[in-house]
Amino acid sequence: MANQNAKGLKRLINACFFSVAGFKATWQHEEAFRQEVTLFAVSAPLALWLGHTPIEKVLLIGSVVLVLLVELLNSAVEAVVDRVGFEHHELSGRAKDIGSAAVMLSLAWAAATWALILL
């Protein structure tokens, strides 16, 4: 748990370590995140090559970064729901479904961005 008394630079350093731990945990436990990182690894160089202007390049890369961000948040929601309990509960299912819908929407946004810019 975070040191609640840390201030200034020490707090920022702690936050960086916690963020790295979050990336590692998500990579280890979430196949969807690994797939989306692979998508990013392929699409980022393509965006730099296919984008004509700096804005197009940023939009192409940013749309895939958005997918990663939403997946991280979805994974956090799922971890909290699973921490509470594995028995079926309507609200737990709803929380997971909403997180999944957010990921799907971010993927659709990325696809639309790529299609509009490249076509």
Side-chain angles (χ1 to χ4, degrees):
M1 178 139 107
N3 179 357
Q4 300 298 325
N5 298 321
K7 303 282 187 216
L9 185 60
K10 179 66 174 168
R11 187 193 65 76
L12 291 174
I13 291 169
N14 287 347
C16 287
F17 281 107
F18 297 136
S19 296
V20 169
F23 280 119
K24 286 180 180 178
T26 309
W27 179 266
Q28 182 179 6
H29 298 287
E30 297 295 332
E31 182 178 358
F33 183 72
R34 292 190 297 272
Q35 292 170 341
E36 291 155 355
V37 168
T38 302
L39 172 68
F40 176 79
V42 170
S43 65
L46 279 174
L48 294 174
W49 182 50
L50 297 172
H52 297 310
T53 67
I55 295 297
E56 286 181 351
K57 293 174 184 181
V58 167
L59 287 171
L60 291 171
I61 293 172
S63 66
V64 182
V65 170
L66 178 65
V67 173
L68 293 171
L69 291 168
V70 175
E71 184 63 50
L72 286 166
L73 294 171
N74 180 50
S75 296
V77 168
E78 288 183 353
V80 169
V81 168
D82 290 345
R83 166 65 176 90
V84 171
F86 287 108
E87 68 278 353
H88 177 74
H89 191 282
E90 179 186 349
L91 292 176
S92 297
R94 188 183 314 162
K96 287 186 168 192
D97 290 347
I98 292 169
S100 179
V103 173
M104 185 181 73
L105 187 60
S106 71
L107 285 164
W109 181 266
T113 301
W114 279 76
L116 288 171
I117 289 175
L118 297 180
L119 302 177

